[in-house]
């Protein structure tokens, strides 16, 4: 009988654990500290144009005024937009306008890649250009996980090359340390503003093999027409593909994006 009572007491203590008291003695909570308590300006060298903006710490909702560098369209933008990205080493990338613009020193000095007259030898459509005279354009840019930089420029208007609606694929090959470009013709009709993303590889497909694939989507065209996009396994030659119907009832696909393991 005594053993039965002991077992019942132990069972009740486990079932009722945590039901009495407010638990304040078991869990300690620390107030969130604002980032501004330890904030320091990283780059002491002033930029050509700097402005003060109200900046918010989203964790604590506290605000303060901080200094920001400001860049106009001559640093890779166009009339209305910049398209910014960074690489793993902290290089700033911008292709808001026609060509990739990049800075390795926090925006103090900038370089620009302008495609030369002749495209890369592996281009499917080997069509030259008139360097720097392609007309007004805009594009997208992102770094791949192997260090390559994949980007594209879209030139909707007639330029010095007398062509319009041009899709230029632009690639920085990290293994060779050089930029390359290709003209692509079978594309969607409108890239304002394009969206670009890497598909983490390795890739083996009917289009070829590669360490990654690049997908470019016309935001405007996809939103209005539910159309597809362009895909490339070398960053230079793109092929059209169609998205599944939004209302097609396709099953959810889970992707493992942890490529660091």
């Amino acid at each position: 009988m005594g053993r039965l009572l002991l077992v019942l007491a132990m069972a009740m203590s486990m079932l009722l654990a945590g039901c009495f008291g407010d638990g304040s003695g078991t869990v300690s909570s620390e107030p969130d500290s604002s980032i501004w308590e330890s904030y320091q300006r990283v780059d002491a060298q002033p930029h050509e144009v700097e402005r003060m903006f109200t900046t918010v710490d989203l964790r604590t909702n506290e605000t303060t005024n901080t200094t920001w560098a400001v860049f106009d369209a001559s640093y890779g933008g166009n009339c209305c937009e910049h398209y910014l990205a960074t690489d793993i080493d902290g290089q700033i990338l911008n292709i808001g306008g026609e060509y990739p613009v990049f800075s390795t020193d926090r925006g103090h000095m900038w370089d620009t890649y302008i495609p030369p007259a002749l495209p890369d030898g592996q281009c499917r459509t080997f069509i030259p250009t008139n360097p720097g005279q392609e007309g007004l354009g805009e594009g997208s840019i992102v770094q791949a996980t192997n260090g390559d930089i994949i980007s594209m420029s879209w030139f909707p208007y007639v330029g010095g090359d007398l062509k319009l609606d041009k899709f230029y694929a632009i690639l920085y090959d990290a293994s060779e340390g050089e930029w390359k470009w290709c003209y692509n013709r079978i594309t969607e009709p409108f890239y304002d503003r394009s969206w670009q993303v890497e598909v983490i590889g390795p890739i083996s497909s009917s289009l070829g093999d590669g360490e990654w694939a690049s997908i470019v989507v016309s935001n405007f065209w996809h939103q209005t027409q539910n159309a597809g996009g362009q895909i490339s396994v070398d960053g230079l030659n793109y092929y059209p593909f169609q998205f599944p119907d939004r209302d097609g009832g396709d099953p959810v696909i889970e992707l493992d994006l942890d490529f660091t393991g």
Side-chain angles (χ1 to χ4, degrees):
M1 183 66 179
R3 181 177 297 179
L4 177 61
L5 291 175
L6 178 61
V7 171
L8 289 174
M10 293 176 61
M12 292 299 293
S13 67
M14 289 186 290
L15 290 173
L16 298 176
C19 294
F20 302 102
D22 58 5
S24 59
T26 59
V27 179
S28 60
S29 60
E30 298 181 0
D32 291 331
S33 59
S34 172
I35 191 176
W36 310 126
E37 295 179 10
S38 58
Y39 169 78
Q40 292 182 345
R41 176 167 172 161
V42 176
D43 188 358
Q45 181 181 352
H47 288 78
E48 184 175 343
V49 179
E50 294 184 345
R51 296 179 190 171
M52 297 290 289
F53 290 93
T54 300
T55 311
V56 61
D57 178 0
L58 294 177
R59 184 173 57 176
T60 62
N61 206 34
E62 295 184 25
T63 60
T64 190
N65 290 326
T66 57
T67 303
W68 293 77
V70 180
F71 304 96
D72 60 19
S74 61
Y75 294 90
N78 59 15
C79 69
C80 315
E81 302 153 317
H82 290 274
Y83 190 110
L84 293 170
T86 59
D87 70 8
I88 195 171
D89 297 317
Q91 179 178 218
I92 304 173
L93 310 170
N94 189 11
I95 193 169
E98 292 77 24
Y99 314 108
V101 177
F102 43 94
S103 172
T104 60
D105 62 357
R106 300 182 183 275
H108 295 286
M109 299 292 293
W110 295 84
D111 290 317
T112 302
Y113 170 73
I114 298 178
L118 297 180
D120 189 77
Q122 60 181 310
C123 297
R124 183 176 78 253
T125 305
F126 193 90
I127 293 181
T129 189
N130 190 345
Q133 303 299 317
E134 289 86 0
L136 296 176
E138 56 187 82
S140 53
I141 192 166
V142 65
Q143 186 183 39
T145 49
N146 71 337
D148 294 343
I149 296 174
I150 48 180
S151 61
M152 64 82 66
S153 283
W154 174 59
F155 301 94
Y157 310 112
V158 175
D161 53 4
L162 302 180
K163 298 190 294 292
L164 53 76
D165 189 21
K166 303 180 290 288
F167 181 117
Y168 282 14
I170 301 175
L171 168 72
Y172 177 77
D173 189 323
S175 65
E176 299 181 11
E178 65 178 9
W179 291 88
K180 306 175 181 180
W181 76 278
C182 281
Y183 172 88
N184 285 261
R185 178 57 270 168
I186 306 175
T187 62
E188 298 165 285
F190 205 77
Y191 286 93
D192 182 16
R193 161 76 61 182
S194 63
W195 174 79
Q196 189 160 8
V197 66
E198 173 201 13
V199 180
I200 299 170
I203 303 295
S204 179
S205 72
S206 59
L207 302 179
D209 304 330
E211 297 181 67
W212 42 260
S214 169
I215 290 180
V216 175
V217 175
S218 164
N219 274 337
F220 177 88
W221 196 249
H222 176 56
Q223 292 297 328
T224 58
Q225 301 293 326
N226 192 30
Q230 305 292 320
I231 189 167
S232 170
V233 294
D234 61 9
L236 293 172
N237 298 289
Y238 281 81
Y239 299 85
F241 72 98
Q242 291 297 312
F243 293 137
D245 189 352
R246 289 193 183 102
D247 303 319
D250 294 299
V252 176
I253 300 175
E254 294 186 2
L255 300 176
D256 181 6
L257 298 181
D258 183 7
F259 56 87
T260 60

